């Protein structure tokens, strides 16, 4: 896309690292930045392993995988990465104070033309836009887990987001090989998490009432509805802490009793059972 050559992804967790590889695979010179060296090292190792698997499965040639990894840089230096970025995707911790700080710094460091997007699923970009001094070039660009695979990207505009920012972000998502959707107004959960939340809520209620086991509810979602995973399996993949956080943020914003976080999920989180990443959630791994 004209004007966009270099991409900065802030945060090297599950989402940030895979978003970085998506951008590098699409041909962009990409830097994944994090304050933690060990996180960057872990991300680098995981992404290299993903590329090895893609080569082994015949999805990519060795040369394509090497070229993508050659375009992907890992750095703790926000200043120099932001100074060269044409487009920034923030995928750091889901905490407003952290994001505000990041956006304020990037607003100062990034070139004037750069668009600053947040991958947040819960915080609308209007919450960080003012800190950047360029609210018209700020929006949400929300990817799904696993970002290498899932086609959807929710592009969410806030009141001051310009049409040019929306169009550039949608086009970049297409260049990434994604199928972006546009959300014209900030609303808790955007589209996908509202849909996912509705299914999860019903699944949790059915299980809590002893009407069916979680296994049978998951099987039904797969075999009757064609979902790739059942709601309990999906919660474990996304992370029960993330599910609980999304619910808390939604409830804080809407105050609607129907959005109250589920106590079963909160109890698992309190026991350190976070899903796949901790080896135990609804299921054992
Ligand atoms: N990271 C990267 N790639 C992965 C992966 C991961 N964690 N898990 C699987 N894959 C890749 C595999 O390598 C494989 O790639 P190839 O086709 O190139 O070989 C492909 O995905 C399919 O994997 P599998 O054959 O092993 O397994 P599958 O067919 O069951 O697919 C799945 C796995 C893609 C995760 C599928 O089960 C699925 O679509 N699940 C639902 C995922 C979903 O709903 N995500 C949204 C979560 S909500 C969210 O992210 C928003 C939020 O704000 C919380």
């Amino acid at each position: 896309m004209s004007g966009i050559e270099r991409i900065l992804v802030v945060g090297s967790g599950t989402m940030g690292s895979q978003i970085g590889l998506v951008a590098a695979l699409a041909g962009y010179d990409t830097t994944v930045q994090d304050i933690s060296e060990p996180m960057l090292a872990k991300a680098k190792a995981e992404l290299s392993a993903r590329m090895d698997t893609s080569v082994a499965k015949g999805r990519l040639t060795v040369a394509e995988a090497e070229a993508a990894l050659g375009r992907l840089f890992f750095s703790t230096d926000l200043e120099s990465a932001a100074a060269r970025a044409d487009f920034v995707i923030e995928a750091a911790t889901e905490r407003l104070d952290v994001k505000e700080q990041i956006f304020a710094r990037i607003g100062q460091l990034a070139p004037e033309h750069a668009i600053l997007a947040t991958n947040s699923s819960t915080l609308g970009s209007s919450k960080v836009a003012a800190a950047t001094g360029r609210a018209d070039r700020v929006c949400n660009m929300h990817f799904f887990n696993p970002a290498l695979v899932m086609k959807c990207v929710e592009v969410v505009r806030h009141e001051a987001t310009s049409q040019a920012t929306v169009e550039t972000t949608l086009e970049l998502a297409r260049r990434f090989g994604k199928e972006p959707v546009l959300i014209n107004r900030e609303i808790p959960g955007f589209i996908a998490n509202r849909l996912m939340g509705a299914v999860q809520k019903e699944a949790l209620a059915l299980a809590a009432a002893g009407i069916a086991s979680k296994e049978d509810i998951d099987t039904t979602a797969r075999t009757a509805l064609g979902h790739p995973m059942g709601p309990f399996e999906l919660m474990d993949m996304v992370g029960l802490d993330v599910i609980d956080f999304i619910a808390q943020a939604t409830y804080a914003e809407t105050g609607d009793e129907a959005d109250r976080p589920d106590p079963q999920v909160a109890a698992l989180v309190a026991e350190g059972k976070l899903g796949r990443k901790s080896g135990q959630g609804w299921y054992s791994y």
Side-chain angles (χ1 to χ4, degrees), residues 188-221:
F190 307 148
I191 300 174
N193 282 350
R194 291 178 84 87
L195 298 178
M196 183 175 79
V199 173
Q200 275 168 13
K201 196 170 160 241
E202 192 57 40
L204 288 161
L206 288 170
I211 288 164
S213 67
K214 62 181 185 305
E215 289 81 1
D216 279 355
I217 296 169
D218 278 347
T219 300
T220 308

Side-chain angles (χ1 to χ4, degrees), residues 224-252:
L225 306 177
H227 292 189
M229 286 178 167
F232 294 95
E233 295 166 317
L234 183 56
M235 282 187 261
D236 273 358
M237 190 194 74
V238 170
L240 294 169
D241 52 337
V242 176
I243 297 292
D244 190 46
F245 178 83
I246 292 172
Q248 285 184 35
T250 305
Y251 183 55

Side-chain angles (χ1 to χ4, degrees), residues 155-159 161-163 166 182-186:
V155 175
V156 190
R157 69 191 309 166
H158 64 89
E159 271 186 9
T161 307
S162 71
Q163 188 58 25
V166 167
L182 176 61
I183 298 165
N184 282 310
R185 190 160 56 86
E186 288 180 347

Side-chain angles (χ1 to χ4, degrees), residues 18 50 57 59 121 142 144-146 149 193 228-229 234 238:
Q18 290 208 4
R50 287 262 164 233
K57 285 185 178 175
R59 292 256 171 190
S121 60
H142 180 219
F144 293 85
N145 188 354
V149 181
N193 282 350
M229 286 178 167
L234 183 56
V238 170

Side-chain angles (χ1 to χ4, degrees), residues 11-172:
S12 65
T14 314
M15 296 305 292
S17 57
Q18 290 208 4
I19 294 167
L21 185 52
V22 164
L25 281 166
Y28 294 93
D29 170 338
T30 306
T31 300
V32 175
Q33 186 275 345
D34 202 300
I35 49 173
S36 160
E37 289 273 12
M39 283 283 285
L40 287 170
K42 184 167 172 263
K44 193 172 180 180
E46 277 177 10
L47 298 180
S48 298
R50 287 262 164 233
M51 289 291 84
D52 289 346
T53 310
S54 293
V55 170
K57 285 185 178 175
R59 292 256 171 190
L60 288 176
T61 65
V62 173
E64 284 165 342
E66 279 178 359
L69 291 174
R71 283 188 288 269
L72 186 57
F73 305 94
F74 298 85
S75 172
T76 53
D77 181 359
L78 183 64
E79 248 164 67
S80 47
R84 359 181 1 257
D86 301 308
F87 198 104
V88 180
I89 304 168
E90 175 275 328
T93 312
E94 287 281 77
R95 268 180 43 193
L96 182 57
D97 56 336
V98 173
K99 290 189 192 289
E100 268 171 348
Q101 272 180 28
I102 292 171
F103 275 85
R105 279 198 76 200
I106 299 172
Q108 286 169 347
L109 297 166
E112 216 26 55
H113 67 267
I115 289 175
L116 316 181
T118 173
N119 176 56
S120 181
S121 60
T122 49
L123 297 163
S125 67
S126 62
K127 297 221 162 59
V128 291
T132 64
R134 58 176 94 187
D136 61 312
R137 276 150 288 160
V138 176
C139 65
N140 285 72
M141 186 181 195
H142 180 219
F143 293 77
F144 293 85
N145 188 354
L148 278 162
V149 181
M150 304 312 285
K151 289 281 177 205
C152 187
V153 171
E154 291 175 325
V155 175
V156 190
R157 69 191 309 166
H158 64 89
E159 271 186 9
T161 307
S162 71
Q163 188 58 25
T165 296
V166 167
E167 278 161 20
T168 303
T169 308
L170 289 169
E171 181 55 20
L172 184 65

